[in-house]
Amino acid sequence: MTMFTSVTWLVAVRKFLSVSVCQNINFCLPCTLRVLCVYCVFVCVHADIMNKKSQQAWELYLKMETSAESFSLLQLIANDCYKMGQFWHAAKAFDMLERLDPSPEHWEGKRGACVGVFQRIVAGQQNK
């Protein structure tokens, strides 16, 4: 990741967090506002993961009620964390996805993320 990209994501996070983003998007809102709120949550989660703050993204997911949006957010967390080498949270997200929707893709994602965690532990890059 280049320095420019890191700075761009950091600026994006600060801008989105300066706007009051609702944490619980499952209450009744007019359709347009609800879509905007979901979009903002997704962008903030993506920015957190790109800034190596996957714990914050995971905590935001845990605050959500079960819905189609939370399932999509879980997929975003799993795939983005895996892509960024944040395998611990990718494994947790893929495990949850496999429990909600058993499929070979979720099992393979979880298996790959667990191998990534093991590899990082052996390399001394992650705590046991």
Side-chain angles (χ1 to χ4, degrees):
M1 179 182 285
T2 65
M3 180 62 145
F4 176 75
T5 307
S6 297
V7 171
T8 303
W9 280 110
L10 188 58
V11 169
V13 168
R14 289 192 178 141
K15 294 229 186 245
F16 277 106
L17 292 180
S18 68
V19 177
S20 178
V21 176
C22 60
Q23 299 264 331
N24 182 1
I25 62 172
N26 295 313
F27 59 89
C28 184
L29 288 174
C31 186
T32 309
L33 187 55
R34 180 178 171 87
V35 169
L36 179 62
C37 189
V38 169
Y39 175 76
C40 288
V41 169
F42 274 57
V43 170
C44 285
V45 164
H46 184 68
D48 282 341
I49 294 169
M50 294 297 145
N51 284 311
K52 307 278 186 197
K53 296 180 181 177
S54 56
Q55 179 63 34
Q56 289 178 345
W58 182 252
E59 289 171 4
L60 183 59
Y61 164 74
L62 292 176
K63 291 179 185 177
M64 294 180 69
E65 295 176 11
T66 303
S67 66
E69 289 90 0
S70 67
F71 187 82
S72 296
L73 184 66
L74 191 57
Q75 289 177 315
L76 176 72
I77 291 170
N79 291 312
D80 280 359
C81 284
Y82 193 98
K83 179 174 68 174
M84 294 301 295
Q86 299 173 50
F87 297 114
W88 175 250
H89 288 99
K92 289 169 66 171
F94 277 119
D95 181 54
M96 187 69 72
L97 283 168
E98 185 185 25
R99 291 176 191 204
L100 295 171
D101 179 29
S103 73
E105 292 84 15
H106 297 147
W107 162 246
E108 291 169 9
K110 182 170 77 169
R111 184 176 59 185
C114 289
V115 169
V117 169
F118 180 72
Q119 183 181 22
R120 289 179 58 89
I121 289 172
V122 169
Q125 297 174 343
Q126 182 154 342
N127 296 333
K128 297 179 184 177

